[in-house]
Amino acid sequence: RLAVFSDIHGNLPALDSVLADLRGLTLWDGILVAGDIAGGPWQQAVFERLLELGARMVQGNVEQGIARLALGTAPAFYSTSKQYAMVRWELANLSHDIIDLICDLPAQEVWGEDGQAGGVGNIRIMHGSPRQITEHVFPANLGEMTAITREPVLVFGHSHLPWQARAGDRLGMNPGAVSFSQTGFTGAQYALLEWDGETWRPTFREVQYDLVSMAGNYRRSAFWRTGPLARVYLRSILTGIDYLPVFFGIANRLAQEAGVRQRGAGRRGR
């Protein structure tokens, strides 16, 4: 029995509520995390919690951005543009050990009995898709992903939307988001994945936590001062509505009106 998390975005109160819920359940055997762990006021503490629990983690697009900046492989404007102020803050507010861990995290990983890839109970975990870390996967395109992988279970993140679907005898799923669900639910989401002797079966869970306290501490944090994107994050957390497309749509329109050349596609924090 495994716990599956994704899209924590440095939200320690949300993660702690999930861990408290998990402790109240029957025994579980491990934690898998499908990326976007950093990117919030308490990102260092979030990593420390997960490491204490022996969680298996992969990079999300947030960790990818941090790693590129740390390794010197990011474009020059990552270091100067206001658009990437949040990435610079994330890098500056993680310990050297955690930065090294982030740089070493794989984009995807296979978990299974005795570590044997391709075994009966194996699970491939990733943030986006097997092809790209920022590609969204839903039931409609699950067949494309099973065609290029062989594991019985594929775990995705990135969309902040919980779902499960089967392509033949293979399972695809997204546990939802620990921080800022996009279903209208204003708490934390995660999933349990249980082997019944024949197949893996997911159970989705939702957990409420103290949003008032979290929001107050969020606004008092240094992360809040990284720019307007931090405010969009918090609004999405408090409403369960994805305001990022609105934000980036307005930002792109204003940039076009001002004649500013766009560099990159914009940093989507999910």
Side-chain angles (χ1 to χ4, degrees):
R1 194 181 208 192
L2 302 170
V4 186
F5 306 161
S6 189
D7 296 280
I8 304 170
H9 289 282
N11 187 341
L12 185 64
L15 176 61
D16 279 346
S17 72
V18 164
L19 294 176
D21 185 69
L22 191 57
R23 283 192 291 270
L25 302 175
T26 55
L27 292 177
W28 43 275
D29 302 304
I31 296 174
L32 306 179
V33 188
D36 275 10
I37 302 154
W42 307 282
Q43 57 180 11
Q44 175 74 26
V46 164
F47 271 103
E48 290 170 355
R49 286 278 201 285
L50 294 172
L51 287 171
E52 288 170 3
L53 295 167
R56 300 279 291 270
M57 298 174 269
V58 298
Q59 279 189 359
N61 51 289
V62 173
E63 289 76 44
Q64 185 183 67
I66 293 169
R68 293 180 73 189
L69 196 57
L71 296 170
T73 59
F77 57 78
Y78 267 54
S79 300
T80 57
S81 172
K82 289 183 179 180
Q83 180 181 359
Y84 292 89
M86 185 178 286
V87 190
R88 295 193 293 273
W89 183 92
E90 290 160 358
L91 178 62
N93 287 274
L94 289 166
S95 69
H96 293 302
D97 288 346
I98 297 300
I99 293 169
D100 289 344
L101 169 70
I102 286 172
C103 291
D104 289 339
L105 286 177
Q108 51 192 294
E109 186 175 38
V110 175
W111 181 96
E113 295 297 328
D114 302 320
Q116 295 177 358
V120 173
N122 285 164
I123 299 165
R124 180 175 293 271
I125 183 167
M126 67 213 88
H127 185 65
S129 79
R131 298 184 291 217
Q132 187 180 16
I133 204 167
T134 55
E135 182 178 11
H136 288 286
V137 179
F138 298 107
N141 62 338
L142 176 60
E144 296 177 33
M145 308 306 150
T146 57
I148 56 175
T149 56
R150 63 175 186 169
E151 291 75 27
V153 181
L154 302 178
V155 174
F156 309 98
H158 195 46
S159 71
H160 292 220
L161 294 169
W163 59 266
Q164 64 168 310
R166 293 197 179 264
D169 60 354
R170 299 173 66 191
L171 172 68
M173 63 167 288
N174 187 317
V178 172
S179 186
F180 62 99
S181 155
Q182 302 305 317
T183 63
F185 177 69
T186 55
Q189 297 173 325
Y190 76 105
L192 297 173
L193 194 53
E194 188 166 6
W195 177 254
D196 66 4
E198 295 183 359
T199 188
W200 287 100
R201 298 191 183 278
T203 303
F204 297 91
R205 296 187 66 82
E206 295 183 330
V207 186
Q208 297 283 3
Y209 63 100
D210 188 343
L211 290 174
V212 174
S213 174
M214 181 279 300
N217 290 327
Y218 204 106
R219 293 187 181 101
R220 287 188 289 272
S221 72
F223 181 78
W224 183 253
R225 298 191 291 276
T226 60
L229 190 55
R231 292 154 175 76
V232 178
Y233 275 24
L234 182 58
R235 185 176 180 87
S236 295
I237 293 170
L238 296 176
T239 61
I241 298 170
D242 184 3
Y243 283 99
L244 288 169
V246 175
F247 171 77
F248 284 114
I250 293 171
N252 289 334
R253 176 175 57 80
L254 292 175
Q256 290 173 1
E257 291 173 356
V260 176
R261 183 173 62 87
Q262 294 295 291
R263 293 181 292 192
R267 180 176 189 270
R268 295 201 54 130
R270 63 173 185 85

